[in-house]
Structures are given as structure tokens and as C-alpha cells.
Amino acid sequence: MIYVLGGLTLAILYTAAALGVAIWQTDLHWFGDITLVCQVTLTPLDQCRLDTIAVGWETLAGLCLAALMLITTLFLAQERQNAKRWVLPPNTFEHSILYRLFIVGVITLLCAHFFTRITGPDQLGRLAMIEREGFFTSLENLCWPILLQLYVADRSRIGRYFALTLLLVVASLAFFRGTPLLILIFGIGFYLLDFIWHILNRRNLWKRYRPILTERLIIGIVVSLLLIPAVITDSASRKAYVLSGQSTTDISSAARQPASSLQTSDPNITQQPLLPTGLGERQIMQRIMSPLYHASMARKLADTVPPPTAWDGLARKLRLSEQPNLNEHLYHAIYPSHPAGQTTSLFFGEGAAWSSAPPLFWIVSAVLFLFLLALAGERVGIPIGLLVGLAIWRGYTGGLIDILPSLMLQIIAITLIAKPWMKRMGALR
Amino acid sequence: MKGLQRHLLQLMILLLIGMISLQSTWVYLQTDGTHRVRVTYHQHLPPHCFPFEAKKRLQKYLIKDIPGITSSQIVISSFADKLYLSLPELSKPRGFYVNLENILNKQIKCLANELLPLKETNMRQYGFRLNQVESIQVNSPRTLDYVSILINIVFCLFLARLFLKKKAQPPK
């Protein structure tokens, strides 16, 4: 359950950071993308900022209420959990046929992706590459949480190393920094925390667990040394790419369009310099604040333009429909000339667009739903804690409906891989 | 410890029941069939032009013309080359909205004015044209409301079961 709590803690910390930046940054003129978001609802920047701060407080309140409920429930159900979880014999999936098939599938996918990458044109821009390799990225996004779950649940050293190796390949092929970062946070950070927590609860077994802890620490350090420099290098190249003017979003739009006239209609307003200093810092701040502004926009836009329904969103995710989902609809409202993309409108945006009650109710309910799912998994002995923890984080940014189809597919995959083998091993009642 | 746990559980169950009641009442109260008018205008504006001024002018006109309407009840957005205006249901003839169109077109002032100074002749090709006036039902309960209430009820039942189990355990 540490993964579930971890996912929720990440969401709370992120909201607090975004809210802090939104309160702190009173002058929005140079945040180009945020200016565009405010323009959709024709709201003056000051008013837009105040509305967004209100959204931030409501989101934070909803997440904290949900966290309070989760912690209290876990505290109350603690005895039962400890007794059950740690009587399980070692989980290992390497003898499961479906596990082998899954691994072969992932290796084939990674090889195909790698082959497409190296045979493609060299000078293709980042957006064009994302579009070209979108099919592989989607499948990898579906697979890597399963690999990560297998990695943390597998007690066989070979199985763990194998899953980790594949995860590193996925991280190296990923276009988005979020993938390696999430692998680091959930696969290394929370994985260690989980283990330390259980050692603390069983002090007399310290000697037995010490080698495993040492191994996890070494793996953690090695993987961090591999991934963190990669993320830093990627960020530096991304900044150069943005400054070169090839990027069609991000801060470049700020450099193109000073938004002074949104604030005031005074034609005598002084123009600010086109390339301000501190571009990198502003880009980071804009990135942190954007989800709150997207959520605020989702609420206002839903009052005038009917948003796509939840069913549209589900069908789109399952590739059964060409209709845009909510986040694509919002993206299209901000960037009408861009071919494709998605916003991050949070649980809040989803609640605001599809519910008549205040979004706070939906934020609490969505987290409770995922928590119930994790409890159910634990009860039947299927390790899905990490999948649900990741789903809380990803759902928090994109909405529950957005992640539900992939989460269900991942849970089915883990059930098929883990359950028959664990049953044979006598792990299940 | 057991006593504290039971009290905590009771508190949680009460909190959830409160949430469910509040949400259900809210959703029930919304089923009053409130209608709004949605007016859509085709936008023909220069590139990078955002009709920010349009909002101010519309709001000013509407508030002046219709007593009782407040600026927060007027929602305006710009999406896919259209200007959307949403108002509480008013019994106004179509001519009223055509008049709004004229007001909008009297002076198109937008972001482009400062970035791309346009000549008077070029400005004439731009403007707003009334597209549609429709009545829409708003605030009707939606699927997500029922899903949300259902999740809270299931979680409440789960906690109640936990509570009953704790209560049934003999004190150590």
C-alpha cells in the first residue's frame, strides 16, 4: 500500500507546488501557454490567476481529504494486512508461461521500436518523431507499469534483474522525462521505503533482510546514476530545441506573443523585451502551473461548449473512436492549429466537465475508487499496489477516465501472469 | 486502542455519510430543469486576434440592457473559430442577438491591433456573424455524479464492515 500512498503524496506535493507558484507568480505576461489558456475563456490574466488559485485550493482540499481517509483506513485494517501479506511464499513468475510470453512480447516491441528509431530520418524534429513512433510509445506506456509491478513483486533475483533491464531500455527510448522519473520514484524510491518499513516492523529479522536491503540500495544508486544524468541531458537539449524556435508550444509562444493587451486595453502600454532572462526557470514554473490553469479552463469552457462525454473518452482510449477525448478537446481549444496533443486537466477538470456537483466530490471519489481497487487486489492476493499507485498519479494529471482502460488491461495482465502461478505455489487460499 | 479505532471508524463513516447526503442533495436540487441560452457567433478575426474586447463590450451591454443579470452569469469562450456566449434563459427575440452582433462588429479591438496594425480597409473583412441561438438544459445530474455517489456508498459499506468486525472482537 506504500505505492498507493506514495502516488497520492506525489499528487498532493505537486498540487501544493503548483498552487504556491500560481500564488507567487503575479505577472503572467511572459507565460505564453498560460496566456493562451486564459484567452480561451476570454478572461483577464488577473482574474484567470485568481480562478486558478481557487481551483488549486479545491484540488488540494480534495486530495488531503482522500489521503486522510486512506491513512485512517490503513491504520484500522493494519493487523489483518500484516498477517496476510507476509505469510505469502516467495513470488516468482519465471516459470509461468504467460510471464514468458509477456517478456518475449516486450522484447519484440522494444526491438521494433529501436529499429524504427535508428532507421528513421536523422533530422526529424521531436514532435514529428513522437508522431512517427506514437504506436510504440503507447504500447510501451501500457507495458512498463506491468514490468515495474513485476519487478517490485518478484522475489527471484533473476526475475527482478531482467525486469529492471527491460525498464531501463524503455526509459532510454522514452520521449517524455516523466517515464524515467516515475520509474525512479516508484521502482527505486518507494520500493526501498516499502522494504525499510517492513524491516522496521520486524526488527528481529534484520540480519535476514540486510543483504536484500544492500542489494536494493546498490541497484537504486546504479539506476539513479544512469537515469538522472540522462534526464538532465534531455532537459538541456530540450531547452536548446525550444530556444531554436522549432517547438510550437512551451515558452516559445511567450517569446512570440507578449500578452500585454489582455491585461489592459491601453494601446500605450510599454512593450517588454522579446527574449527575457531566466527562460529556463520560467519554463519550469509554467510547466508546474499549467495543470491548474487547464483545470480552471475546463470548468469555464464546459459552461459554453459541450465537452466530449466520458464514453467518448473511453472509446478514444480503446481506439474505438476518432472523436477527441476531454484532454484533446481542451488542447484543441488552446492550440487550434496544432494537429494533436493533450492537456493535463486533473481530476478537477474531469469533475468540472462531467459532474454537476463541485469537483471536490469527484476528486475524493476517484481516489477512493482506486484505493478500493488496490484493497480488492490485496485481498485476493494479486500484487497491483504499484499499478494503482501509478494510476493515482497519472489519473490525477489526466483524469480517471483517461487511465481506466489501460489500468484495467494492466490488472488483467498481472492477474493472468501472477495468479495461476501463485495458486500452484500455494500462495493463495 | 480498540476504543480509539472504533471512534475513528465511526467518525469516518459519519464523514462519508455526510458527503453522500450532501452530494445527493446537491444533485437532487439540480434537477429543476434550469435552462440557459447559448448563442454562437462565427468569428472572422485576424490571425492571433483574441476577441477579449468583445467580452467586455458584451457584458457591458447585457448588464445595462437586462436588469437582474450579473457579470458572473454571462459566460463567454472562444473555441474552434466560434465565439460562444451562454446566458440565463431570457425571453428575447432573435433580433436582440442580431443587435449584439452589430455591437460586436462596431469596433473589433483585439490583441492583433497591437501586434499587427491593420488598415481600416483590411478590418472590414473581419467580424462576427450570428450562427445559432439555442436553449440548453444545464445542471442536470450527470453520469459522473451517480458514479461518484456509488463509490462513496461502497467505501462507506466497506468501513461499516470493518467497524462491525472490530466491534465483534472481544477486548484483549
Side-chain angles (χ1 to χ4, degrees), chain A residues 3-170:
Chain A
Y3 299 103
V4 177
L5 282 177
L8 190 54
T9 310
L10 268 187
I12 290 174
L13 291 177
Y14 189 92
T15 312
L19 184 60
V21 175
I23 293 170
W24 175 43
Q25 287 298 318
T26 49
D27 185 5
L28 296 179
H29 292 117
W30 286 109
F31 297 107
D33 288 334
I34 283 175
T35 309
L36 290 179
V37 171
C38 297
Q39 281 163 358
V40 171
T41 48
L42 306 175
T43 315
L45 291 182
D46 281 344
Q47 186 57 43
C48 192
R49 180 176 155 267
L50 292 176
D51 294 342
T52 303
I53 290 171
V55 168
W57 283 119
E58 191 169 341
T59 305
L60 198 60
L63 291 173
C64 288
L65 186 61
L68 189 76
M69 286 188 172
L70 256 67
I71 292 167
T72 318
T73 311
L74 285 176
F75 167 68
L76 296 171
Q78 203 179 15
E79 289 168 32
R80 197 163 54 86
Q81 266 182 30
N82 276 349
K84 216 165 71 83
R85 189 185 162 101
W86 291 94
V87 296
L88 292 178
N91 305 336
T92 177
F93 314 109
E94 60 199 58
H95 299 291
S96 157
I97 301 290
L98 286 167
Y99 174 72
R100 289 176 187 181
L101 282 175
F102 173 70
I103 293 294
V104 169
V106 172
I107 293 172
T108 314
L109 172 70
L110 292 176
C111 288
H113 191 176
F114 185 68
F115 185 73
T116 314
R117 174 77 58 88
I118 56 168
T119 53
D122 289 339
Q123 299 303 318
L124 214 56
R126 184 171 173 267
L127 289 177
M129 277 177 82
I130 291 174
E131 207 176 331
R132 196 166 65 101
E133 296 172 24
F135 172 74
F136 297 110
T137 310
S138 296
L139 281 178
E140 279 160 14
N141 281 341
L142 193 66
C143 290
W144 74 256
I146 303 174
L147 278 174
L148 203 57
Q149 178 67 71
L150 288 172
Y151 166 66
V152 300
D154 202 336
R155 308 279 165 83
S156 141
R157 189 172 288 177
I158 295 173
R160 279 204 304 272
Y161 288 170
F162 202 64
L164 189 65
T165 311
L166 291 178
L167 279 168
L168 285 174
V169 179
V170 171

Side-chain angles (χ1 to χ4, degrees), chain B residues 89-159:
Chain B
E89 191 166 50
L90 311 158
S91 48
K92 293 277 181 189
R94 192 180 163 83
F96 176 79
Y97 301 104
V98 176
N99 198 25
L100 285 185
E101 179 190 302
N102 294 333
I103 288 166
L104 283 169
N105 290 329
K106 263 185 196 164
Q107 186 195 2
I108 297 171
K109 187 171 182 179
C110 58
L111 186 62
N113 285 22
E114 286 174 36
L115 283 180
L116 317 159
L118 295 165
K119 287 178 185 167
E120 192 62 31
T121 45
N122 288 344
M123 283 299 284
R124 281 187 195 141
Q125 63 181 296
Y126 300 114
F128 294 93
R129 190 162 47 80
L130 183 63
N131 178 47
Q132 196 178 19
V133 183
E134 58 180 329
S135 174
I136 50 162
Q137 192 178 353
V138 289
N139 292 334
S140 54
R142 302 173 208 172
T143 319
L144 217 62
D145 290 319
Y146 299 122
V147 172
S148 176
I149 293 170
L150 188 70
I151 292 168
N152 288 331
I153 290 173
V154 172
F155 198 76
C156 194
L157 290 175
F158 167 74
L159 286 180

Side-chain angles (χ1 to χ4, degrees), chain B residues 6-166:
Chain B
R6 272 208 295 271
H7 285 310
L8 267 175
L9 264 174
Q10 275 175 332
L11 207 70
M12 289 261 292
I13 293 167
L14 280 175
L15 179 70
L16 266 171
I17 290 174
M19 264 184 69
I20 296 164
S21 317
L22 198 65
Q23 197 177 2
S24 308
T25 316
W26 191 293
V27 170
Y28 174 74
L29 287 175
Q30 301 296 326
T31 53
D32 58 354
T34 313
H35 278 68
R36 281 176 79 88
V37 175
R38 188 165 62 207
V39 192
T40 321
Y41 290 96
H42 275 306
Q43 281 177 217
H44 298 281
L45 295 173
H48 305 301
C49 174
F50 300 97
F52 177 65
E53 268 304 301
K55 183 174 184 172
K56 282 211 293 198
R57 292 174 63 78
L58 270 176
Q59 281 192 331
K60 209 170 158 186
Y61 178 78
L62 286 165
I63 291 168
K64 197 174 136 195
D65 195 69
I66 312 161
I69 198 167
T70 60
S71 63
S72 62
Q73 289 174 311
I74 306 165
V75 190
I76 305 173
S77 68
S78 168
F79 179 75
D81 290 330
K82 284 195 178 113
L83 183 80
Y84 286 85
L85 163 72
S86 170
L87 302 162
E89 191 166 50
L90 311 158
S91 48
K92 293 277 181 189
R94 192 180 163 83
F96 176 79
Y97 301 104
V98 176
N99 198 25
L100 285 185
E101 179 190 302
N102 294 333
I103 288 166
L104 283 169
N105 290 329
K106 263 185 196 164
Q107 186 195 2
I108 297 171
K109 187 171 182 179
C110 58
L111 186 62
N113 285 22
E114 286 174 36
L115 283 180
L116 317 159
L118 295 165
K119 287 178 185 167
E120 192 62 31
T121 45
N122 288 344
M123 283 299 284
R124 281 187 195 141
Q125 63 181 296
Y126 300 114
F128 294 93
R129 190 162 47 80
L130 183 63
N131 178 47
Q132 196 178 19
V133 183
E134 58 180 329
S135 174
I136 50 162
Q137 192 178 353
V138 289
N139 292 334
S140 54
R142 302 173 208 172
T143 319
L144 217 62
D145 290 319
Y146 299 122
V147 172
S148 176
I149 293 170
L150 188 70
I151 292 168
N152 288 331
I153 290 173
V154 172
F155 198 76
C156 194
L157 290 175
F158 167 74
L159 286 180
R161 188 167 164 268
L162 210 65
F163 175 72
L164 290 175
K165 268 192 170 179
K166 287 260 180 244

Side-chain angles (χ1 to χ4, degrees), chain A residues 305-325:
Chain A
V305 184
T309 63
W311 306 117
D312 287 337
L314 282 174
R316 175 75 173 146
K317 275 284 153 186
L318 293 167
R319 307 288 189 272
L320 299 173
S321 164
E322 287 298 310
Q323 293 294 315
N325 63 20

